[in-house]
Amino acid sequence: MEEEELEFVEELEAVLQLTPEVQLAIEQVFPSQDPLDRADFNAVEYINTLFPTEQSLANIDEVVNKIRLKIRRLDDNIRTVVRGQTNVGQDGRQALEEAQKAIQQLFGKIKDIKDKAEKSEQMVKEITRDIKQLDHAKRHLTTSITTLNHLHMLAGGVDSLEAMTRRRQYGEVANLLQGVMNVLEHFHKYMGIPQIRQLSERVKAAQTELGQQILVDFEEAFPSQGTKRPGGPSNVLRDACLVANILDPRIKQEIIKKFIKQHLSEYLVLFQENQDVAWLDKIDRRYAWVKRQLVDYEEKYGRMFPREWYMTERIAVEFCHVTRAELAKIMRARAKEIEVKLLLFAIQRTTNFEGFLAKRFSGCTLADGTLKKLESPLPSTNPFLEDEPTPEMEELALEKGELDQPKKPKAPDNPFHGIVSKCFEPHLYVYIESQDKNLGELIDRFVADFKAQGPPKPNTDEGGAVLPSCADLFVYYKKCMVQCSQLSTGEPMIALTTIFQKYLREYAWKILSGNLPKTTTSSGGLTISSLLKEKEGSEVAKFTLEELCLICSILSTAEYCLATTQQLEEKLKEKVDVSLTERINLMGEMDTFSTVISSSIQLLVQDLDAACDPALTAMSKMQWQNVEHVGDQSPYVTSVILHIKQNVPIIRDNLASTRKYFTQFCIKFANSFIPKFITHLFKCKPISMVGAEQLLLDTHSLKMVLLDLPSIGSQVVRKAPASYTKIVVKGMTRAEMILKVVMAPHEPLVVFVDNYIKLLTDCNTETFQKILDMKGLKRSEQSSMLELLRQRLPTPPSGPEGSSSLSLMAPTPEQESSRIRKLEKLIKKRL
């Protein structure tokens, strides 16, 4: 029995093992704090909780009674729930049967409604069948009456049309023909009926007869041969034009073509290729002739042709086409006689005439099927093309400096641009060659003027002056660009761009680079005694004030050329065809001007650097081991400061308009001077303690002067650029740390080596060797210290960057600031 009970308990536990999800759901629905309700209930722990000690077993009967009471209550609840579920199945089946009966009743009602709706629809169809028949009959009757009326109108209209055509009553025919054609459109679906087809053929025959008759009337009124016009304008021809508007468009085109050809026949005779007036020098007479003809046409024939035919504009456009062909033919035959002035004169007069046409006409006939429109230039956003009727006016505006002023709103594009002047494009090589020659002469004149006038005068008030030849060159460039863009926006503009590139390079070489002063070197040494007596420019070969101003002027000019060349490239790309923009590239010329700027800055740096070299040489030759006391700054420091105060204010004032390049000068000078100063510092050996203190004082003085370099000698004190300040602080702090290591006692060795590693971030054996030489230690003493340094140095990481990792480590700004404060305290203490 006991075994069976144990098996039953195990089976019960297996059945009652719920999943965590189910257990969590039960806890949410029936929250309980009773340990008996927990899924991980442990009977032993629960009993130990009830009876923690032996004394608590005295209440065991009471606890057992409570548990039995709880068991009875649970049994009662289970019994009640089980009894309540006895009749649930029977109630569910009864509810399902009632729902099925209700659904059957609903289906029956729906079927009854559908049957009644079908009966109602059938009843309505029977009622409306007769009404629909009446509606169809009425619509057919109305259509028949309307068709008969149209047929009557068509038959009568065709008879009247044939009669009026024979009597040449074009005024009545114009109104009647349009009505007949409108009525005939209603019979397109009845063309299978013989009578309707016959009427349609009679209308077409009448149209053909009208067209031929009108052409004959115009031929009689305006004969092709001879200059007399016996018929002239009349009301009959005016009405005939109205009829031609309705007929086949080819009739209208033939009338226009014959009239314009007859109207321009005199022009072809007067300006034949063998006539003297046909050459370019008398091109004005061509345009004067057509203007007279247009006025004559308006007076005699203005009312004969309909306004929507735009006959005046068509005459002008055809004149342009004929003139372009004639000019192209005669220029091919006499190409050797074309000169630049003659070509520009003809182009100017032609573009003026095209501008006249644009003001007079809209250009609508250029887009229709009668005349082919020339390819007009693409819209340009170049401000130099706005409000510039002639090249002379453009040149005057350039001379007055009005190009940078605000422009008026841009006028619409000229639809007639190039309609005649395109014939000059094959001959523009004459203009390009002329500009090549003129620019070459202009560069030679700039060179001669520079040699004759000499370098620009010093100007320390308004900054370095840009050479005037630079502005003259770009003014001439803009003039040429505007002229050429009016002539063509294709290959000639590319050829002109190549010429521009050539002379931009020549200007950079001959005017700018060629006039930079040459550097001179002095081989003489400088002693302490001579250093003390040094005057301005007495010992060192330096640039004069005029030469410094010239270098600054060339630098400013190169910067102006660089910026203007970039703008020139943008304007050229705006003026040429879109397909050619990629061929315009002035980056090489911009790089040339950038090279001139770099060379100018390098010359200024070299001049000031060379002026400071004798002072640094004097520093390295002083006997620092014999210095007995620390005094004011040394004479070599005074000499360096003197040179800086002489050069830097001049350079700053002359580069006031190019502040960024003055900053580059300061940075390059600091990058050149500080390493050189440290190199000469290592040459000061041996050094006593007092000598090292004096050098530390001198180094701090130079550091303060270098930090103040950008604004030295200026009434307006500006904060130095952060990039420059960082370079000076980093470089001069290293020099100060070297001197601090020299001042430190070299015993005990470990402390000295650790101090060196701590103070110098780029610690290595080479620098350490130089510091030991400055201290005057013997080689035997140095070997043990170098070996100790190699042991104390941190092992560099493996890889290509490991060897330089130590030298690349830079002190943080807080460390630099702390070192500076300690250095200042040390100097004050020594003083």
Side-chain angles (χ1 to χ4, degrees):
M1 290 296 293
E2 291 179 356
E3 293 179 356
E4 292 178 357
E5 289 180 359
L6 290 174
E7 291 177 357
F8 175 76
V9 170
E10 290 176 356
E11 292 176 358
L12 184 62
E13 289 179 353
V15 172
L16 295 179
Q17 196 70 24
L18 303 177
T19 62
E21 292 80 5
V22 175
Q23 189 66 36
L24 180 61
I26 294 174
E27 291 178 356
Q28 291 177 351
V29 177
F30 303 105
S32 174
Q33 299 296 329
D34 193 344
L36 295 173
D37 295 332
R38 295 177 59 85
D40 56 348
F41 174 73
N42 191 323
V44 175
E45 292 181 358
Y46 182 68
I47 293 173
N48 291 335
T49 303
L50 294 178
F51 307 105
T53 60
E54 294 182 0
Q55 290 78 9
S56 60
L57 293 175
N59 299 327
I60 189 172
D61 295 334
E62 183 180 352
V63 171
V64 170
N65 292 332
K66 288 181 180 181
I67 291 175
R68 287 176 178 173
L69 178 60
K70 184 178 291 187
I71 291 172
R72 282 197 299 272
R73 289 178 179 174
L74 286 174
D75 291 340
D76 293 340
N77 292 336
I78 292 170
R79 191 179 299 109
T80 303
V81 170
V82 170
R83 290 174 179 175
Q85 294 296 324
T86 303
N87 299 326
V88 169
Q90 184 178 356
D91 295 342
R93 286 191 294 273
Q94 184 177 356
L96 178 61
E97 292 175 357
E98 292 177 356
Q100 290 175 345
K101 291 180 180 178
I103 290 172
Q104 291 176 355
Q105 293 176 0
L106 181 60
F107 272 117
K109 292 180 180 179
I110 291 173
K111 186 177 180 182
D112 293 342
I113 293 172
K114 184 177 179 181
D115 294 340
K116 292 180 180 179
E118 290 176 354
K119 293 179 180 179
S120 299
E121 183 179 2
Q122 186 66 27
M123 187 182 299
V124 169
K125 286 182 179 179
E126 292 176 357
I127 295 173
T128 59
R129 184 181 296 119
D130 296 337
I131 299 175
K132 287 182 179 180
Q133 291 178 353
L134 291 175
D135 289 340
H136 288 308
K138 178 182 178 181
R139 186 162 55 252
H140 293 161
L141 182 60
T142 303
T143 303
S144 300
I145 294 173
T146 302
T147 303
L148 288 174
N149 288 335
H150 287 165
L151 182 61
H152 176 71
M153 293 170 58
L154 180 61
V158 171
D159 294 337
S160 301
L161 181 64
E162 293 174 343
M164 292 178 182
T165 300
R166 290 190 293 270
R167 294 192 296 269
R168 283 182 166 77
Q169 296 176 345
Y170 295 129
E172 291 80 358
V173 168
N175 296 325
L176 180 61
L177 179 59
Q178 185 63 52
V180 169
M181 294 179 66
N182 291 337
V183 173
L184 188 61
E185 291 179 357
H186 295 283
F187 289 94
H188 281 323
K189 55 185 176 181
Y190 303 119
M191 286 299 172
I193 302 174
Q195 291 82 0
I196 301 298
R197 185 168 60 253
Q198 183 180 2
L199 287 174
S200 176
E201 291 174 353
R202 288 176 62 187
V203 171
K204 291 180 180 179
Q207 288 178 324
T208 303
E209 183 180 357
L210 274 172
Q212 295 175 353
Q213 187 170 299
I214 290 173
L215 290 177
V216 171
D217 292 344
F218 269 93
E219 182 66 27
E220 293 176 355
F222 305 102
S224 300
Q225 302 296 332
T227 57
K228 295 183 179 180
R229 299 168 185 171
S234 65
N235 292 333
V236 175
L237 295 181
R238 182 184 62 189
D239 294 339
C241 291
L242 298 177
V243 176
N245 259 343
I246 306 172
L247 297 176
D248 191 341
R250 288 177 293 181
I251 303 298
K252 170 185 170 182
Q253 294 174 8
E254 187 69 21
I255 293 172
I256 293 173
K257 181 178 178 181
K258 287 185 176 181
F259 179 81
I260 293 177
K261 182 178 180 181
Q262 191 276 335
H263 211 71
L264 295 179
S265 59
E266 180 183 351
Y267 171 70
L268 294 175
V269 175
L270 291 176
F271 295 90
Q272 287 182 0
E273 185 178 351
N274 56 359
Q275 298 294 326
D276 184 54
V277 294
W279 189 229
L280 299 180
D281 58 344
K282 296 181 177 59
I283 197 170
D284 281 342
R285 298 190 181 183
R286 295 176 181 266
Y287 304 133
W289 181 89
V290 75
K291 290 178 182 178
R292 291 194 301 270
Q293 292 298 315
L294 293 178
V295 172
D296 180 67
Y297 167 82
E298 290 290 347
E299 293 176 354
K300 294 182 179 180
Y301 308 104
R303 297 182 180 180
M304 186 176 72
F305 293 99
R307 183 180 296 273
E308 62 270 17
W309 284 21
Y310 301 101
M311 286 300 296
T312 309
E313 181 177 330
R314 292 178 186 275
I315 293 172
V317 170
E318 183 62 22
F319 166 81
C320 292
H321 291 168
V322 172
T323 302
R324 186 179 73 248
E326 291 295 320
L327 288 176
K329 183 169 64 174
I330 194 172
M331 283 192 292
R332 282 196 301 269
R334 303 172 63 178
K336 296 182 179 180
E337 302 179 30
I338 300 176
E339 298 178 352
V340 176
K341 292 183 178 179
L342 180 61
L343 181 64
L344 291 180
F345 168 80
I347 291 173
Q348 178 190 347
R349 294 297 186 266
T350 302
T351 53
N352 290 347
F353 176 69
E354 292 172 351
F356 163 78
L357 294 180
K359 294 178 181 178
R360 181 79 182 274
F361 306 117
S362 63
C364 58
T365 60
L366 296 172
D368 65 11
T370 307
L371 296 174
K372 184 178 180 181
K373 182 179 178 181
L374 289 173
E375 292 184 2
S376 58
L378 293 173
S380 173
T381 58
N382 192 337
F384 299 117
L385 280 179
E386 299 174 1
D387 199 14
E388 47 179 353
T390 63
E392 284 75 10
M393 294 182 65
E394 176 64 27
E395 182 178 1
L396 182 61
L398 287 166
E399 293 176 356
K400 292 182 179 180
E402 297 175 355
L403 287 177
D404 294 332
Q405 297 179 1
K407 299 290 182 180
K408 297 179 182 179
K410 185 178 179 182
D413 295 326
N414 181 0
F416 296 94
H417 177 78
I419 193 171
V420 179
S421 58
K422 209 167 187 65
C423 66
F424 298 108
E425 185 169 330
H427 305 277
L428 287 180
Y429 67 90
V430 178
Y431 172 77
I432 300 299
E433 292 174 355
S434 172
Q435 296 307 323
D436 189 2
K437 180 181 177 183
N438 293 342
L439 283 169
E441 295 174 353
L442 187 64
I443 295 295
D444 294 339
R445 180 167 63 84
F446 289 161
V447 174
D449 291 347
F450 190 91
K451 292 180 179 179
Q453 298 174 5
K457 302 299 180 183
N459 183 5
T460 58
D461 295 331
E462 299 178 359
V466 176
L467 298 179
S469 59
C470 175
D472 295 340
L473 177 66
F474 282 101
V475 166
Y476 191 83
Y477 272 11
K478 291 176 183 178
K479 174 186 174 182
C480 296
M481 180 176 61
V482 170
Q483 283 182 341
C484 190
S485 65
Q486 292 176 343
L487 310 180
S488 171
T489 58
E491 288 295 334
M493 283 292 291
I494 301 300
L496 184 66
T497 302
T498 304
I499 299 299
F500 285 174
Q501 291 175 302
K502 173 183 175 182
Y503 289 102
L504 281 174
R505 292 191 296 269
E506 287 202 11
Y507 185 85
W509 295 333
K510 294 182 178 180
I511 308 298
L512 301 181
S513 296
N515 289 306
L516 284 173
K518 301 297 184 292
T519 57
T520 57
T521 57
S522 176
S523 58
L526 192 65
T527 62
I528 297 300
S529 59
S530 65
L531 182 61
L532 295 174
K533 299 176 182 179
E534 184 180 9
K535 303 291 185 180
E536 179 182 355
S538 61
E539 295 292 337
V540 183
K542 295 175 54 180
F543 289 141
T544 62
L545 176 61
E546 290 76 12
E547 289 175 331
L548 287 177
C549 293
L550 173 60
I551 295 173
C552 294
S553 180
I554 290 176
L555 192 153
S556 301
T557 304
E559 185 204 19
Y560 173 81
C561 291
L562 178 62
T564 312
T565 302
Q566 184 177 1
Q567 297 173 5
L568 177 65
E569 180 183 4
E570 295 173 358
K571 298 302 178 184
L572 286 170
K573 288 183 177 180
E574 290 177 2
K575 288 190 176 289
V576 301
D577 295 335
V578 176
S579 59
L580 301 176
T581 53
E582 294 182 357
R583 295 174 60 183
I584 294 180
N585 186 357
L586 303 183
M587 287 303 299
E589 289 65 38
M590 296 183 204
D591 293 341
T592 301
F593 289 118
S594 298
T595 302
V596 174
I597 293 172
S598 300
S599 300
S600 302
I601 295 175
Q602 191 61 34
L603 277 179
L604 296 173
V605 172
Q606 287 178 358
D607 179 59
L608 183 55
D609 207 10
C612 297
D613 279 347
L616 297 179
T617 303
M619 176 191 76
S620 62
K621 291 184 178 182
M622 287 182 64
Q623 301 297 323
W624 292 102
Q625 75 274 19
N626 297 330
V627 177
E628 298 178 354
H629 61 276
V630 178
D632 201 354
Q633 62 187 24
S634 301
Y636 74 90
V637 177
T638 305
S639 176
V640 171
I641 295 175
L642 176 63
H643 289 301
I644 289 176
K645 288 185 176 180
Q646 287 175 352
N647 282 32
V648 174
I650 298 173
I651 297 172
R652 181 183 58 244
D653 293 339
N654 280 275
L655 295 181
S657 58
T658 56
R659 189 72 183 176
K660 63 179 180 179
Y661 293 117
F662 175 69
T663 302
Q664 287 188 20
F665 160 76
C666 295
I667 292 174
K668 287 189 176 182
F669 174 72
N671 283 327
S672 174
F673 177 79
I674 294 175
K676 186 178 295 186
F677 173 74
I678 294 176
T679 301
H680 282 79
L681 195 63
F682 284 131
K683 296 179 181 180
C684 299
K685 55 186 179 181
I687 304 177
S688 64
M689 178 65 70
V690 179
E693 292 177 359
Q694 180 64 49
L695 275 173
L696 191 60
L697 174 63
D698 295 341
T699 303
H700 182 73
S701 299
L702 286 175
K703 179 180 179 180
M704 293 298 104
V705 171
L706 289 176
L707 288 174
D708 192 42
L709 180 71
S711 60
I712 193 169
S714 174
Q715 296 179 353
V716 180
V717 180
R718 293 184 179 178
K719 185 179 179 181
S723 57
Y724 171 76
T725 303
K726 182 178 180 181
I727 292 172
V728 173
V729 169
K730 183 177 180 180
M732 295 305 291
T733 301
R734 181 172 183 269
E736 292 170 341
M737 295 301 107
I738 290 172
L739 291 173
K740 289 188 67 175
V741 175
V742 173
M743 292 168 57
H746 60 276
E747 291 182 354
L749 299 182
V750 176
V751 176
F752 178 76
V753 172
D754 290 343
N755 190 38
Y756 166 74
I757 296 174
K758 178 180 179 183
L759 292 178
L760 290 178
T761 56
D762 58 341
C763 51
N764 53 60
T765 55
E766 183 180 358
T767 304
F768 190 64
Q769 177 79 54
K770 294 178 180 179
I771 291 176
L772 296 180
D773 291 340
M774 293 173 68
K775 292 179 69 67
L777 297 178
K778 298 178 181 180
R779 291 295 178 180
S780 58
E781 296 176 327
Q782 294 181 13
S783 59
S784 59
M785 299 178 74
L786 287 170
E787 184 62 30
L788 180 61
L789 174 67
R790 294 187 185 96
Q791 297 175 2
R792 307 288 291 184
L793 281 176
T795 303
S798 60
E801 299 178 357
S803 60
S804 60
S805 61
L806 291 177
S807 61
L808 295 176
M809 294 173 58
T812 62
E814 293 77 6
Q815 292 173 339
E816 290 184 353
S817 177
S818 175
R819 292 174 181 176
I820 292 170
R821 286 195 296 269
K822 291 179 181 179
L823 181 62
E824 291 175 350
K825 291 180 180 179
L826 176 63
I827 293 173
K828 290 179 181 179
K829 181 179 179 181
R830 293 295 183 184
L831 293 175

